[in-house]
Amino acid sequence: METTRRWQRLEEIFHAALALDAEERPAYLAEACGDDDALRREAAELLESVGDADERIGGAVSAGLEVALEAIAGGVPETIGPYRILRELGEGGLANVYLGERTEGYTQQVAVKVLKRGMDTVDILRRLRQERQILADLDHPHIARLLDGGTTADGRPYVVMEHIEGEPIDDYCDRRGLTVQERLELFTKVCAAVHHAHRSLVIHRDIKPSNLLVTPEGNPKLLDFGIAKLLDPSRARATVAHTGAGIRWLTPGYASPEQVVGAPLTTATDIYSLGVLLYQLLTGRPPHRFPTDHPAEVERVMRDVEPQRPSAAAGGEPTEDGPGTRPAAERAKDRGTTPERLVKSLRGDLDNIVRMAMHPEPERRYASAEQLADDVANHLDSMPVRARPETFGYYAAKFVRRHRGAVAAAVVVVLSLVGGIVGTTRALWIAETQRERAERLRDQSEEVAGFMIDLFRAPDPDIALGRDLSAWQLLENGAQRVEALDGQPLRQAALMHAMGRSYQNLGRYDEARSLLGRSLDRRREALGEGHPEVAGDLYHLASALFDAGRVDEAAELAKQALDREQSSHGERHPDVARVLNLLAQLKRAGGDVDAAEALHRRALDLRLELFGDEDPATFESRNDLGELLFENGRLDEAEALFRQSLDGRRRLDAPITEVAVSHNNLAAVLLERGDREGAADHFGKALDVRRRLLGEDHPHLAISYNNLGRLLLDLERPAEAAPLLERAVKIADAIFEDHPAQASFTLNLAVALHKLERHDEAEAAYLESLERRRRAHGDDDPRVALTRTTLANFYAGVGRSDLALELATGALQSLQRSLEAGDPRLASPLLLVGELLGDSGRCSEALPHLRQATALRRTLPEDNPNRQRAERALAECSAD
C-alpha cells in the first residue's frame, strides 16, 4: 500500500513539473519533494527520460534500419580490432558476441561483445560503458575477466572478455549428477563472486543459470554485467543510464519483487536471485510459474502465490507443462538419490535458507551474499544456521558462533544426547513396566535439555564475570551444579553422562572418564549391576578409556558391557553390535589382528541385518573395519570400505566430524598408493573441518597435522612438514600418557628431522618412538619391528651400515615370525636388508630379499616411488 501511494505522489509531481519550463523544474522539485531526496531523484530521472525521448525514438528507428541492412549484408565480421573472428557465440537484443582470437603478438581465444549496428543511442552507449567499467573494476576467480575494449572501424564500441568454455550451472549439475552437497559447494563459489561485486558497489541484477557458466574443471564464472547497477553515487551519474518510464530490465523467473514493481534496488535483489538459483539447483523446479511474461501477470504471481518449500517441490509431481516439470524420480536421480532421500535432505535447514534468501521483504533477507554462503557452509558442516527459529537450537547456535573453534563437536553430541534419550530402543527392564520406564526416560530427557539450555545461554554477566568462558569451563560449572542434586542419583547420572560424552568429544579424556565413571556408579547404586543402562555406561566409559589409550582397562569394561547386553537383549541387538565394534577396535590396538577382524565383521553383519545398508552405524563399522585392513596392508579392501563410508555419511548428512574421519582415512590409503594429489585433497578437507570445529588442542587435530606432515614428507618438503609434526607431537604429549598415537607422531617427526639433516635430533626422536611403541605394544608386535626398520633406514642414511643391517635383519626376522609370507608389511625390511647386502658386495645374498620385496610392491602403481625403489635395487644387483 505504501508503495502504491508513493508512486501516486511521484506521478503527481512528475506531471506538475512537466508543465513547467526546464529551468523552473529543479526549484519546483526541491519544494515539492522536501527532504525526500530519493523521490526528488526519481522525479528528475523521469523528466530527463522525457527530454531524451526524441533521441531514443530516432535511435530506435535508425537501429531498425541498420539491423535490416546488416541482415541483408549477412555474415560474421572477419576482424574486430586486433581480433580475428572465428564464429558467433550468441546474439542479444543490443549486441552480438563472437569467439575471437588475438592476431597481434600472441594467440589467445576471447569473447568479443560488439554493439549491433544502429544501437549507439545515448542509453545503450552508457550501458556498454557501464559494463566495461564494472568489469574493469572486478577481479575475482569466479567472475569473467575484462581483457580489452575499443571501437570498431565503423564506430561501434566493443568489449573483449575472457572466453569461458562451459555450460550453464543447472545443466552442468544435472549432466554430471551432482549431489546436493556438491551443488551447495558450487553455489558457495557463486556467492563469493556476487559478494565481491557487491563490495565493489555493483549489483548484478540478472543472476540466472545462463549467466553462470561452469568450466569442465568445475569452476563457475559469473557473466554479463550488462544491466548491472552501480551503487557509488560519484560514478552512477556518469555511467548508469536513466531508466525510461515503464522500462524494466529483468528476467522474470529470477527477478526480485522490488525489480518487478520498479522499486529502488539494493544488493538484496541479488540475494533474492541467488535464492531462486539455489531453489532450482536443489529441486530441479523454479519457485514460481508465470502464465505469461506480461509485467502485470508477473507482479500478480509474485504478490499472491507463495512458493512451495524446496523439500515439498523436490518430492512433488508436476501438474502442468513447462520448465522443471520432469517427474520427481528423474530430478532426484540427477542428484544421485531418490525422491524420499532428496526431500529428507532439503527439509529443515535448506528449506529455511532458501526461504530467508527469497523473503519478499528485502530487509529480512540475508544481509550479504557472504552471509548466505556462510549459512550454506554451516549446513554442510552440520553447524547451526542463521535461518532457524529461536528455540533450544537457537541458544546452542549462538554459543557455537562465540566459541566455534572449541565446542561445536560437543554441542552436536549434547544435542544428539538430548534428542536420543527418549528414542533409545532397549528391551524393558524386568522390574519396570513400559509406561513407568517411558515416563522416567522422558523426565531425564527434559532434565538434560533444560540443563543444557542453561549452559549454552551462558556466559551471562553474573556467571562469567567478564570472562569469555570456554566449552569445558561451562561444563565444569555444570559438573559443580550436578553435585548439588543429592538424593537424585538417576538425574545426576543422566547429566553426568551427557557432560562426560561432551568432554570426550572435546578431547578432554580425563574429565570424560571421571564423569562417565561417576554416572556408572550412580546407576549401579540406583538400578543394580545387571540393568541395561548400567551396561550402556560401561560401554561409554570403555570408549573414553580407549580414546585415552588405556586399552587394557577399556577391554575389561567392554567385556563386562557385552555380557550384560547379551544377557538383557540376546545376541542380535543394536547395543550388542556397538560393543562388538568397540571390542574389535581394542583387539586391533592390542595387536590381535585375526580376532579384531572377526569381531569387526560380526558387528558389521549384525548392523546390516538390523539397520540395513544405509545407516550411520553401518558406515561406522565399515570405516573401522577399513582401518584394520589398511594397517595390515590390504589397501584395495580398505579403500573400498572408506569410500563407502564417506559417500554414505555425506548422503545421510552425518555429523561433520565423522565425515572428517572418513576423509582422513581415505587420504591415508591414497597416500600409501602414491596418489598424492588425492591424498592432499582429503587430508585438507579433514584438517579444515577439525580446525574450525575442534580448536587447536584437540587430539583429532593432532592426527590431521600428523597426516598432512606425512604427505609433505612424501612430497620431499620436510621444512614444511616438521612444524606440523612438532605440533602433532606437542598436542598428543599434552593429552596422553603412552598412547600409541604418540609413537606414530614421533616417528614421522624423526623422518622429517632426518631429511633436514638434523641428525642428532632425528636419532633421539627415532629412539623415543621405538621406546613408545615397545611400551604400548610389547617387543613382538609387528609395529615395533617396522619402527626398528625405519630406524635402520636412518642409520643406513648416515653411514652406519653395520648397525643398520643388524637392526633391519632383526626386524625382518621378527616380522617373518608373526606375519604370513605374502604380507605387504614385509616389503620394507626385505628391501632394506637387500639394499644393504648389495651395497656391501653380497649380491648373491641380497637377490632373494630384493626379489621378494619387488614382488610384494608390484601391487602398487608403476610410478609409485616405493615400487620404483625396489625394482631399481633389484636391477642393479642383478646386473652385478
Side-chain angles (χ1 to χ4, degrees):
M1 192 67 180
E2 182 64 31
T3 301
T4 302
R5 286 197 297 270
R6 181 178 180 80
W7 280 106
Q8 289 173 345
R9 177 62 179 151
L10 176 60
E11 186 177 10
E12 292 171 1
I13 293 172
F14 167 71
H15 285 296
L18 192 61
L20 301 174
D21 293 334
E23 62 272 14
E24 297 175 319
R25 291 173 183 171
Y28 169 75
L29 293 181
E31 180 182 353
C33 298
D35 295 333
D36 193 338
D37 291 338
L39 182 63
R40 179 179 52 78
R41 283 195 301 271
E42 290 165 8
E45 289 178 2
L46 283 174
L47 290 167
E48 188 170 346
S49 72
V50 172
D52 290 339
D54 289 342
E55 179 184 353
R56 281 199 300 275
I57 293 169
V61 173
S62 174
L65 292 172
E66 293 285 352
V67 170
L69 291 173
E70 187 167 306
I72 294 170
V76 173
E78 292 185 1
T79 61
I80 296 177
Y83 299 93
R84 181 167 62 90
I85 301 304
L86 304 177
R87 59 184 170 86
E88 188 174 41
L89 292 174
E91 179 183 3
L94 306 179
N96 294 94
V97 182
Y98 301 103
L99 177 64
E101 187 174 74
R102 190 174 181 90
T103 58
E104 297 176 3
Y106 56 91
T107 300
Q108 179 186 21
Q109 287 199 344
V110 295
V112 184
K113 183 176 184 177
V114 61
L115 204 62
K116 289 182 176 180
R117 296 179 188 274
M119 287 292 164
D120 51 348
T121 65
V122 173
D123 276 353
I124 304 306
L125 287 172
R126 283 174 179 167
R127 288 198 177 278
L128 193 67
R129 284 197 298 270
Q130 169 194 354
E131 181 177 7
R132 192 157 61 191
Q133 183 60 56
I134 288 170
L135 288 170
D137 290 345
L138 298 180
D139 182 13
H140 191 274
H142 300 308
I143 295 177
R145 290 179 295 120
L146 174 72
L147 302 175
D148 198 359
T151 306
T152 63
D154 58 357
R156 290 179 294 156
Y158 66 84
V159 175
V160 182
M161 296 167 291
E162 173 186 12
H163 174 53
I164 309 301
E165 285 284 358
E167 56 187 317
I169 189 169
D170 53 346
D171 292 341
Y172 175 89
C173 293
D174 288 349
R175 290 182 197 278
R176 286 161 179 76
L178 265 58
T179 64
V180 167
Q181 173 160 334
E182 290 166 335
R183 290 165 188 255
L184 292 174
E185 290 169 351
L186 189 62
F187 178 76
T188 60
K189 296 178 182 179
V190 174
C191 290
V194 175
H195 183 63
H196 178 80
H198 289 176
R199 290 183 64 186
S200 301
L201 303 177
V202 174
I203 314 171
H204 188 282
R205 296 205 289 178
D206 198 23
I207 295 172
K208 56 186 178 182
S210 60
N211 283 337
L212 278 161
L213 299 187
V214 186
T215 68
E217 298 76 31
N219 187 29
K221 292 281 188 175
L222 181 58
L223 313 174
D224 199 354
F225 282 81
I227 65 169
K229 178 180 180 180
L230 292 171
L231 299 177
D232 185 353
S234 65
R235 293 161 52 192
R237 293 294 298 173
T239 60
V240 181
H242 299 293
T243 302
I247 300 174
R248 298 170 191 164
W249 300 84
L250 54 83
T251 302
Y254 295 88
S256 66
E258 57 269 27
Q259 278 180 288
V260 171
V261 301
L265 304 183
T266 66
T267 55
T269 197
D270 282 349
I271 305 300
Y272 185 94
S273 299
L274 285 171
V276 176
L277 175 68
L278 180 57
Y279 189 110
Q280 189 163 335
L281 291 178
L282 295 176
T283 68
R285 300 176 67 178
H288 285 110
R289 298 188 184 280
F290 305 106
T292 72
D293 283 345
H294 190 278
E297 186 63 22
V298 172
E299 184 174 347
R300 181 195 66 77
V301 170
M302 295 192 72
R303 182 186 64 244
D304 298 339
V305 180
E306 183 176 354
Q308 285 184 300
R309 289 175 291 107
S311 59
E317 296 296 347
T319 57
E320 66 281 324
D321 295 330
T325 57
R326 295 164 60 228
E330 291 183 14
R331 288 181 281 116
K333 185 178 180 181
D334 286 342
R335 288 147 184 82
T337 187
T338 64
E340 295 76 19
R341 287 178 184 160
L342 180 59
V343 168
K344 182 179 178 182
S345 68
L346 302 187
R347 186 179 294 132
D349 278 356
L350 291 175
D351 277 340
N352 289 325
I353 288 170
V354 171
R355 184 176 181 181
M356 185 168 175
M358 291 181 59
H359 201 286
E361 301 172 29
E363 63 275 9
R364 296 186 63 181
R365 296 174 202 153
Y366 287 97
S368 67
E370 184 178 46
Q371 270 195 9
L372 171 55
D374 284 347
D375 246 10
V376 171
N378 285 340
H379 168 75
L380 287 171
D381 291 346
S382 299
M383 297 283 285
V385 300
R386 287 182 175 87
R388 296 291 292 174
E390 298 185 3
T391 60
F392 170 37
Y394 169 76
Y395 290 111
K398 289 188 71 174
F399 180 81
V400 170
R401 284 197 289 272
R402 291 195 301 271
H403 308 277
R404 183 169 296 184
V407 74
V411 173
V412 171
V413 172
V414 169
L415 294 176
S416 67
L417 286 170
V418 171
I421 290 177
V422 173
T424 301
T425 55
R426 294 179 180 274
L428 292 176
W429 183 238
I430 296 172
E432 296 179 303
T433 67
Q434 183 175 357
R435 182 176 54 81
E436 290 169 341
R437 179 165 175 72
E439 288 176 355
R440 184 167 61 78
L441 288 176
R442 182 200 62 206
D443 291 343
Q444 286 184 14
S445 175
E446 291 175 355
E447 180 78 23
V448 173
F451 185 81
M452 291 302 176
I453 286 174
D454 288 343
L455 283 187
F456 287 107
R457 278 176 174 158
D460 69 40
D462 294 331
I463 298 172
L465 300 177
R467 295 174 294 134
D468 189 18
L469 299 185
S470 68
W472 40 82
Q473 285 171 326
L474 289 177
L475 290 169
E476 285 169 6
N477 291 343
Q480 294 169 10
R481 290 165 58 185
V482 170
E483 290 294 342
L485 297 172
D486 291 333
Q488 303 177 63
L490 291 178
R491 293 177 68 196
Q492 282 184 316
L495 294 169
M496 287 174 174
H497 181 88
M499 289 187 294
R501 295 281 306 282
S502 298
Y503 269 123
Q504 184 179 354
N505 280 270
L506 286 168
R508 306 276 292 203
Y509 299 130
D510 288 340
E511 293 90 338
R513 287 188 287 107
S514 174
L515 281 163
L516 291 170
R518 287 151 66 191
S519 172
L520 173 62
D521 292 341
R522 280 156 179 76
R523 284 201 168 116
R524 276 174 165 160
E525 171 192 338
L527 301 172
E529 187 67 38
H531 196 283
E533 289 180 33
V534 172
D537 272 8
L538 283 167
Y539 164 80
H540 286 294
L541 180 55
S543 174
L545 287 165
F546 173 51
D547 281 346
R550 296 167 65 168
V551 175
D552 292 340
E553 296 172 70
E556 180 57 37
L557 289 178
K559 290 175 186 174
Q560 294 178 33
L562 182 62
D563 289 342
R564 284 160 177 74
E565 297 288 14
Q566 289 175 330
S567 296
S568 298
H569 308 305
E571 295 287 335
R572 319 196 75 73
H573 190 274
D575 292 346
V576 172
R578 73 176 181 179
V579 181
L580 287 172
N581 196 69
L582 176 60
L583 276 170
Q585 293 175 298
L586 292 164
K587 288 289 185 184
R588 181 179 114 218
D592 191 345
V593 175
D594 292 338
E597 183 172 353
L599 285 167
H600 270 310
R601 294 195 182 279
R602 186 176 160 195
L604 176 57
D605 289 344
L606 184 52
R607 283 172 161 173
L608 283 168
E609 176 188 329
L610 294 171
F611 307 128
D613 194 57
E614 292 283 312
D615 187 86
T618 305
F619 292 123
E620 178 191 42
S621 280
R622 285 195 175 108
N623 177 80
D624 294 347
L625 175 59
E627 290 177 356
L628 172 73
L629 298 175
F630 169 71
E631 288 178 3
N632 289 278
R634 295 157 65 179
L635 300 186
D636 289 343
E637 297 170 84
E639 181 177 353
L641 288 166
F642 288 151
R643 288 193 183 279
Q644 290 172 19
S645 176
L646 174 60
D647 293 344
R649 283 170 164 171
R650 292 170 71 173
R651 279 197 306 274
L652 295 181
D653 290 330
I656 192 63
T657 50
E658 294 180 10
V659 176
V661 168
S662 292
H663 276 302
N664 181 79
N665 290 344
L666 180 56
V669 172
L670 296 175
L671 180 59
E672 193 69 20
R673 290 188 177 283
D675 181 1
R676 296 166 179 170
E677 184 177 343
D681 179 51
H682 288 285
F683 275 145
K685 288 176 179 176
L687 177 61
D688 180 59
V689 166
R690 287 168 170 171
R691 267 180 172 156
R692 284 186 288 118
L693 294 188
L694 304 179
E696 284 291 329
D697 297 315
H698 195 284
H700 288 183
L701 191 67
I703 293 171
S704 279
Y705 281 137
N706 173 74
N707 291 339
L708 192 56
R710 278 186 56 219
L711 173 63
L712 291 168
L713 287 177
D714 214 44
L715 293 170
E716 298 299 331
R717 291 157 62 182
E720 298 171 64
L724 294 173
L725 295 168
E726 288 169 346
R727 181 68 181 147
V729 171
K730 182 178 179 181
I731 293 171
D733 286 351
I735 297 170
F736 300 123
E737 292 181 14
D738 291 333
H739 194 287
Q742 292 171 280
S744 299
F745 298 168
T746 307
L747 182 61
N748 288 328
L749 175 59
V751 174
L753 296 171
H754 179 190
K755 289 177 180 287
L756 292 171
E757 300 184 359
R758 293 159 60 179
H759 292 152
D760 290 344
E761 296 172 81
E763 182 178 14
Y766 278 123
L767 292 170
E768 176 65 21
S769 174
L770 178 59
E771 181 57 28
R772 284 177 161 176
R773 279 265 159 86
R774 291 178 63 251
R775 288 201 302 267
H777 305 300
D779 283 331
D780 297 328
D781 190 277
R783 286 164 288 195
V784 175
L786 290 169
T787 305
R788 285 198 177 98
T789 303
T790 309
L791 177 59
N793 262 307
F794 165 73
Y795 283 130
V798 296
R800 298 169 68 179
S801 299
D802 291 344
L803 180 55
L805 182 58
E806 179 186 344
L807 276 169
T809 302
L812 176 59
Q813 291 170 349
S814 175
L815 287 169
Q816 286 173 329
R817 287 193 298 270
S818 59
L819 302 177
E820 295 180 1
D823 194 296
R825 287 173 289 179
L826 291 167
S828 183
L830 280 167
L831 175 59
L832 181 57
V833 170
E835 287 175 327
L836 290 167
L837 289 171
D839 289 344
S840 63
R842 298 156 64 183
C843 269
S844 60
E845 298 174 65
L847 281 171
H849 296 87
L850 294 174
R851 289 190 185 106
Q852 291 180 61
T854 302
L856 289 171
R857 288 197 164 161
R858 279 200 174 128
T859 59
L860 299 174
E862 290 184 5
D863 60 350
N864 184 280
N866 292 325
R867 174 175 173 172
Q868 292 174 346
R869 176 182 165 186
E871 291 173 342
R872 184 168 55 249
L874 176 60
E876 290 172 357
C877 215
S878 298
D880 293 340

